[in-house]
């Protein structure tokens, strides 16, 4: 929370140092979940706090220095080959002959696997047309590290660990070293290299004759025996559609498909999509559900797996410490407790603090069934469906007022438990924050849809309760209509939420677009909402703003208070289509596609809400995850709206 001070402002030099979350927008990531490698655009590892080799929440290398024949490497190109591989090209002009043409180039190829990172260096020298009686000395310096993701995200520094040389003698003539980062065992292999330890670093040195082509490299393999999720190595079940005439859309779909492939993870019950790089390489209930739902037009297998994975950890008891309740779908799974907001909050390894994942799970089950998920697989999940529906009635509506609300009972969990889960996401039009328990508008829409479509599933498979759940949904719609509608100078719209006193929190937000197609609104109400989400105060030209520009708290770089979230706009695009507002769906879809071009078709988690009429391209939100599963998967609803 920001406070206002009347004291004399300090200069930058006088301001006290405080840890800051790393900025990501200019950095380069290659990934194959749960492993990822971050660097700057030149390929250098170690100039940004997020840099390094990671597996899951554990960093195992924090810096990589490179020296070649004592000359500088001058970067000229970065060429992604796939989500898991990139080539950084540079020039070694200190080795050039006379003339303006560069004579010696370096291609540095970084490849990430689910279990490690490999780097290969290829030096091509057009001057070395015959054997040269000199050696080229290539040296790489790797810094072993054991920093946790939460510490780095909070602005923390390195956590050095000691490495050990591994005796050689193998047939591959490889130098080796090993170390342990947290619970991760790391083995470095460098064929042909001398291995030394120097001030905590592992130093690899190759002395090779200068030749037309010189190739050296190293590989870091990891073993994480305590990991709660593992990489997926089977072929993906989804693919980008091939009948796409718009080159922009085709390129977005292709890149999104590649990124989604690299984000696949496994639990014993099946595959799901990791939420996003770098911070969220694990299972998130809400994120995995929406990403799988966006892909239903091309694949039901991932949705079926996701449903089973989440059902396997469905809540069975009441536990305020973890926010678990019977029938509830979890929010987040980690290997260890996660400290957030500079240790002010702490989430347990398996955390259930989400109000929307449970009804969304039901919605995904229904939609996957309609899209072709085999009946036998659906039927096996019906007990979990019944438990999820019961949670909405017995625990989701804690005060019995007919609406779903949330509150953090511990003071150590998330204060806001919808998809907008930052501390300032639910605010009044004047910018003040709402007090909980909070009943979010879109959650009522999800619950209504879950009750009606859950009833359809119960009927279809001969199970009791369908009529009771339809009646429950009717009462919810009546309660919503009576409690949520407010107005501003633009017109009427549903409030973002009801606060602890059941007052409608009157800011206009993108949340209202999530109500479209859920059945909780009448046709006239849907038309009103459809018009508002494409109005200039909400639609930026690059997607739907999270908060209207009419609100006092609006700021285009606010995480949930004026920025544009790719998945959020895609949810609304889908709802507009389902409710028959095709022109509005196409308008917002085209806005997202315009943004995708600006971000080289790898859409970030969110971007700034500046108006397209005022800027030529959207500004990045500099700490946004990229790639992120539901942002990548948003390409598919856009394709559906524009085809």
């Amino acid at each position: 929370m920001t406070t206002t001070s009347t004291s004399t402002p300090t200069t930058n030099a006088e301001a006290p140092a405080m840890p800051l979350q790393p900025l990501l927008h200019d950095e380069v990531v290659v990934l194959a979940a749960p492993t990822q490698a971050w660097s700057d655009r030149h390929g250098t590892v170690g100039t940004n706090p997020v840099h390094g080799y990671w597996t899951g929440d554990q960093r195992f290398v924090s810096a990589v220095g490179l020296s070649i024949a004592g000359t500088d490497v001058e970067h000229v190109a970065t060429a992604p080959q796939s989500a898991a591989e990139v080539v950084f090209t540079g020039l070694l002009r200190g080795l050039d002959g006379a003339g303006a043409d560069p004579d010696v180039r370096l291609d540095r190829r970084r490849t990430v696997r689910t279990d490690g990172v490999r780097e290969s260096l290829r030096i091509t020298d057009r001057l070395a047309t015959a054997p040269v009686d000199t050696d080229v000395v290539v040296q790489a310096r790797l810094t072993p590290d054991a920093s946790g993701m939460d510490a780095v995200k909070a602005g923390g520094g390195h956590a050095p660990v000691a490495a050990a040389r591994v005796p050689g003698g193998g047939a591959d003539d490889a130098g080796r070293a090993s170390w342990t980062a947290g619970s991760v065992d790391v083995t470095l292999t460098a064929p042909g290299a001398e291995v030394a330890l120097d001030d905590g670093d592992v130093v690899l040195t190759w002395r090779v004759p200068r030749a037309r082509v010189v190739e050296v490299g190293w590989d870091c393999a990891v073993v994480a025996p305590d990991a709660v999720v593992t990489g997926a190595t089977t072929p993906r079940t989804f693919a980008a559609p091939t009948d796409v005439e718009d080159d922009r859309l085709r390129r977005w779909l292709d890149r999104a498909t590649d990124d989604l492939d690299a984000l696949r993870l496994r639990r014993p019950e099946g595959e799901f999509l990791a939420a996003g790089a770098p911070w969220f390489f694990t299972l998130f209930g809400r994120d995995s559900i929406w990403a799988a739902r966006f892909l239903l037009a091309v694949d039901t297998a991932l949705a079926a797996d996701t449903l089973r994975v989440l059902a396997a950890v469905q809540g069975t008891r009441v536990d305020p410490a973890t926010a678990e309740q019977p029938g509830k779908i979890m929010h987040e799974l980690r290997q260890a407790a996660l400290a957030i907001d500079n240790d002010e909050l702490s989430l347990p390894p398996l955390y259930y603090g989400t109000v929307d994942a449970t009804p969304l799970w039901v919605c995904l089950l229904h939609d996957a069934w309609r899209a072709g998920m085999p009946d036998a697989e659906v039927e096996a999940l019906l007990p979990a469906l019944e438990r999820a529906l019961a949670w909405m009635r017995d625990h989701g509506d804690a005060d019995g007022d007919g609406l779903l609300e949330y509150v953090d009972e511990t003071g150590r969990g998330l204060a806001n438990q919808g998809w907008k889960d930052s501390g300032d996401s639910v605010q009044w039009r004047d910018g003040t924050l709402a007090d909980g328990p909070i009943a979010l508008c879109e959650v009522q829409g999800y619950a209504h849809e879950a009750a009606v479509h859950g009833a359809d599933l119960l009927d279809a498979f001969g199970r009791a309760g369908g009529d009771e759940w339809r009646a429950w949904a009717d009462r919810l719609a009546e309660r919503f209509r009576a409690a949520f509608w407010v107005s501003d100078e633009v017109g009427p719209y549903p409030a973002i939420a009801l606060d602890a006193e059941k007052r409608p929190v009157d800011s206009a937000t993108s949340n209202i677009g999530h109500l479209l197609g859920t059945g909780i609104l009448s046709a006239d109400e849907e038309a009103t909402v459809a018009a508002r989400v494409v109005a200039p105060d909400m639609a930026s030209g690059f997607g739907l703003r999270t908060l209207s520009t009419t609100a006092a708290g609006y700021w285009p770089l606010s995480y949930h208070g004026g920025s544009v979230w790719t998945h959020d706009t895609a949810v609304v695009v889908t709802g507009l289509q389902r409710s028959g507002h095709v022109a509005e769906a196409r308008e917002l879809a085209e806005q997202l596609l315009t943004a995708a071009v600006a971000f080289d078709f790898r859409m970030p988690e969110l971007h700034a809400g500046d108006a397209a009429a005022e800027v030529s391209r959207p500004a990045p939100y500099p700490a946004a995850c990229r790639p992120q599963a539901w942002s990548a998967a948003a390409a598919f609803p856009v394709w559906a709206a524009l085809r």
Side-chain angles (χ1 to χ4, degrees), residues 232-238 261 264 266 271 299 301:
T233 56
T234 55
R236 66 174 184 249
T237 55
F238 51 87
D261 187 18
R264 290 185 301 137
R266 286 197 64 85
E271 293 185 7
D299 179 40

Side-chain angles (χ1 to χ4, degrees), residues 48 50 146 192 214 237 240 287 289 353 379 423 467 479 526 570 581 596 643:
N48 181 302
V50 77
V214 171
T237 55
D287 298 56
I289 289 170
E379 190 165 19
D467 290 343
R479 180 77 176 92
E526 286 188 319
H581 296 90
R643 61 178 171 171

Side-chain angles (χ1 to χ4, degrees), residues 4 17 31 62 74 97 185 188 244 253 320 345 391 436-437 444 491 503 506-507 520 571 629 636:
T4 302
L31 63 150
S62 60
E74 298 180 66
D185 295 323
L188 182 152
V244 181
L253 286 162
L345 304 178
W391 175 85
Q444 317 313 315
R503 298 174 300 174
D506 61 352
S507 55
I520 201 168
V571 170
F636 290 84

Side-chain angles (χ1 to χ4, degrees), residues 343-403:
D343 293 331
E344 292 179 12
L345 304 178
S346 179
L347 305 184
L350 178 56
Y351 181 55
Y352 289 81
T354 168
V355 71
D356 53 7
T358 307
L360 286 171
W361 186 94
V362 176
C363 295
L364 177 61
L365 179 62
H366 171 269
D367 289 358
W369 172 56
R370 291 293 191 193
M373 180 177 168
D375 281 0
E377 295 182 26
V378 175
E379 190 165 19
L381 290 169
L382 293 182
L385 165 74
E386 292 169 329
R387 292 192 293 270
L389 291 171
W391 175 85
M392 296 197 305
R393 179 193 62 215
D394 300 338
H395 297 279
D397 179 12
D399 59 9
D401 71 338
L403 300 169

Side-chain angles (χ1 to χ4, degrees), residues 540 542 545 554 556-558 562-564 599 606-611 618-621:
S540 72
F542 298 120
R545 295 185 181 95
Y554 167 77
L557 284 172
S558 172
S563 62
V564 173
F599 288 110
L606 69 157
H607 57 265
D610 298 308
Y621 182 88

Side-chain angles (χ1 to χ4, degrees), residues 259-270:
D259 281 338
L260 291 167
D261 187 18
L263 287 167
R264 290 185 301 137
L265 287 172
R266 286 197 64 85
R267 292 272 293 168
E269 301 78 21

Side-chain angles (χ1 to χ4, degrees), residues 162-173:
R165 291 179 59 198
V166 177
D172 57 2
D173 189 31

